[in-house]
């Protein structure tokens, strides 16, 4: 098990290194990174000093090492808009995004677990159709449009829920449901096919032959095994939630990383944007690492390596 | 029982594969297919189809609702936006952008991804490690944020959107193709070809590629909807296709601040996205069931 964890950790580090190369390369697609990081009113002397300090006049490999060194020391430059260190601005917003994503994931699970199981056990009947229809709708409707429709219905017509900002638990409902719906689509489909497979297996027959109640067979023996693929998927989903959360945060004015990225784009605040992207990918990589490891804990077959 | 008693049975016995194929074809999703063909047609002849120039501003007829609502007029069946531009014309033109971006991105992403996936799967070793770790890095990347970065560094454009989509798509294709290549490169027919003296390139093109093509088609159809949604999201955020080009995502964004009074500006183009993506997803599910049922989880 320790060997597996170590191997996965190494894999994640390699992925992280490649990520840093990509972000480094992105900053250079515009020609000179100095134009992106310095305020437009910087004097030529300041510009020159910055270029020398960051080594922009040196070979690319050297520039990359400097970028890496600064990154490891947590130095990502200052926000062009406020002058504060980019790290401070970004970490202020991190909590907002993680809270929203977590609530959305919980809502998604609360909807999709029962729906997926019922769809599989009643294959071809009404609940199966409801489950698949729900999933298809969640996948086919862009999240920003779902968000707008919810705003029109619950915010403008019915006036039940606040449509922007944070504060009470009521502020979570619209953004988290919008976000969770898109994700639950994948979970419903995955769980349904997993359940169909599991319910045809020998140990389910045995459980039934023992005379267990059908509900115990389905919800305990069946669901527990059908959940394994869902768990791997959750890591992947968390990444999607965070990424598609950008749009949701913009529509609902939710003060998270996504809204920060959007504002930084409008202000052309490159240092903040760069750090936001890096943080997003680090979160996804860390979650995938944790999921891979916990997968080993849930499924003994993986443990051997 | 005499064989001649039921000619259908005899035919099924002789051509079981053909009979099974026919059974599946009968479940062809006609409505989605019709929508797909219609939208492709609309995208191709959009120039001839539009009643008005989709970028023409006409303040006299600004914010007209669609026909069934008070103030709607038949000249503008789906209403007009804040600047008096005809929404029907803009949706028609937007079809071309949405499908064009999806087609270009899929073509680029699938070519690169397939090539790298085959190399990684077939050669294995350190090439495999590098390609797959890079794919992981790209899959970990939130594509929307890459697009935001590029919108700042080189400015938003059609090809930036295509590139961003392709950057994510290639990794999906590479993963799928690699696993398929690995599962078939150790099969007997590949070993036989090698014994017969076939070279690596020949084996890849004549023995491995034909076995991967089904999965490729399935993944392609299933990704069209995704590509359309991501393009619309990028444009919605201002990191996609810049105005005044009419795009579905951009139209939704333009109406965002006026949903209380002029809901149709945002709602109608969103409806167009939903219908088209719906059609592609339903069709993709069907293609997968016909060509490659074991891919049920992608």
């Amino acid at each position: 098990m320790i060997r597996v964890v170590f191997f996965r950790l190494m894999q994640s580090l390699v992925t992280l290194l490649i990520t840093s190369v990509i972000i480094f390369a992105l900053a250079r697609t515009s020609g000179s990174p100095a134009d992106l990081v310095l305020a437009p009113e910087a004097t030529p002397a300041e510009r020159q000093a910055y270029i020398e300090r960051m080594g922009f006049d040196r070979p690319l490999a050297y520039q990359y090492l400097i970028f890496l060194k600064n990154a490891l020391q947590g130095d990502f430059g200052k926000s062009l808009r406020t002058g504060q260190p980019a790290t401070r601005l970004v970490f202020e917003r991190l909590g907002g995004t993680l809270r929203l994503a977590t609530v959305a994931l919980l809502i998604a699970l609360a909807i999709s677990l029962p729906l997926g199981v019922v769809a599989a056990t009643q294959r071809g009947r009404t609940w199966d159709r409801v489950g698949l229809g729900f999933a298809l709708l969640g996948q086919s409707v862009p999240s920003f449009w779902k968000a707008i429709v919810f705003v029109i219905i619950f915010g403008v017509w019915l006036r039940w829920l606040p449509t922007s900002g944070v504060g009470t638990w009521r502020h979570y409902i619209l953004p988290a449901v919008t976000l969770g719906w898109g994700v639950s689509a994948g979970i419903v489909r995955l769980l349904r096919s997993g359940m169909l497979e599991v319910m045809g297996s020998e140990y389910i027959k045995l459980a039934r032959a023992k005379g267990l109640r059908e509900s115990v067979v389905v919800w305990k023996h069946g669901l527990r095994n059908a959940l394994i693929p869902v768990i791997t998927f959750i890591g992947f989903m968390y990444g999607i939630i965070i990424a598609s959360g950008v749009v949701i945060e913009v529509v609902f004015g939710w003060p998270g990383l996504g809204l920060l990225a959007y504002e930084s784009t409008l202000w052309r605040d490159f240092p903040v944007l760069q750090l936001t992207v890096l943080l997003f990918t680090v979160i996804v990589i860390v979650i995938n690492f944790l999921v891979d490891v916990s997968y080993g804990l849930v499924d003994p077959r993986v443990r051997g390596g | 029982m005499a064989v001649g008693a039921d000619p259908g049975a005899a035919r099924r016995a002789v051509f079981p594969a053909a009979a099974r194929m026919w059974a599946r074809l009968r479940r062809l999703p006609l409505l989605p297919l019709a929508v797909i063909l219609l939208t492709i047609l609309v995208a191709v002849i959009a120039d001839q189809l539009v009643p008005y120039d989709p970028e023409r501003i006409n303040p006299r007829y600004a914010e007209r609702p669609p026909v069934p609502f008070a103030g709607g007029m038949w000249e503008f069946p789906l209403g007009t936006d804040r600047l008096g531009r005809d929404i029907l014309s803009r949706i028609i033109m937007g079809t071309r952008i949405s499908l064009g971006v999806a087609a270009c991105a899929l073509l680029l992403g699938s070519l690169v991804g397939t090539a790298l996936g085959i190399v990684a799967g077939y050669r294995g070793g350190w090439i495999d490690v590098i390609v797959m770790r890079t794919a992981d890095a790209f899959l970990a990347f939130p594509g929307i944020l890459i697009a935001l970065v590029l919108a700042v560094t080189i400015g938003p454009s059609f090809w930036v959107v295509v590139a961003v989509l392709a950057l994510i798509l290639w990794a999906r294709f590479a993963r799928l193709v690699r696993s398929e290549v690995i599962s078939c490169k150790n099969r007997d027919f590949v070993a036989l070809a090698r014994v017969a003296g076939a070279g690596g390139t020949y084996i890849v093109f004549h023995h491995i590629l034909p076995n991967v093509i089904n999965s490729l088609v399935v993944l392609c159809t299933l990704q069209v909807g995704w590509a359309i949604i991501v393009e619309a999201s990028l444009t919605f955020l201002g990191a996609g296709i810049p105005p005044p080009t009419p795009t579905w995502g951009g139209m939704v964004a333009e109406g965002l601040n006026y949903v209380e009074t002029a809901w149709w500006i945002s709602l109608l183009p969103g409806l167009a996205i939903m219908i088209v993506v719906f059609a592609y997803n339903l069709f993709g599910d069907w293609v997968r069931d016909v060509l490659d049922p074991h891919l049920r989880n992608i």
Side-chain angles (χ1 to χ4, degrees), chain A residues 257-301:
Chain A
L257 281 179
L259 190 61
L260 183 66
Y262 176 69
E263 290 164 353
S264 312
T265 311
L266 292 183
W267 288 88
R268 304 184 58 82
D269 194 345
F270 188 78
V272 175
L273 188 57
Q274 170 173 278
L275 181 58
T276 316
V277 176
L278 189 65
L279 196 61
F280 262 109
T281 38
V282 169
I283 293 173
V284 175
I285 291 172
V286 167
I287 288 168
N288 278 328
F289 167 73
L290 291 178
V291 166
D292 276 348
V293 171
S294 65
Y295 193 50
L297 296 176
V298 180
D299 188 347
R301 284 169 300 183

Side-chain angles (χ1 to χ4, degrees), chain A residues 69-88:
Chain A
K69 184 185 131 244
N70 287 339
L72 287 175
Q73 291 173 344
D75 176 9
F76 289 92
K78 287 186 173 133
S79 162
L80 300 185
R81 180 157 54 126
T82 63
Q84 290 171 306
T87 39
R88 206 170 113 205

Side-chain angles (χ1 to χ4, degrees), chain B residues 91-165:
Chain B
I91 288 183
I92 290 175
M93 265 319 203
T95 316
R96 177 177 278 183
I97 301 284
S98 283
L99 295 190
V101 167
C104 292
L106 275 166
L107 197 67
L108 201 63
S110 63
L111 281 180
V112 174
T114 308
L116 288 173
I118 286 180
V119 172
Y122 191 74
R123 297 287 293 275
W126 59 270
I127 296 185
D128 185 25
V129 173
I130 291 182
V131 170
M132 290 332 286
R133 284 309 115 210
T134 314
D136 278 353
F138 276 98
L139 286 175
F141 255 125
I144 287 189
L145 288 167
I146 302 189
L148 290 179
V149 172
L150 289 176
V152 169
T153 57
I154 47 183
S157 75
F158 182 90
W159 291 108
V160 167
V161 178
V162 169
V164 168
L165 290 179

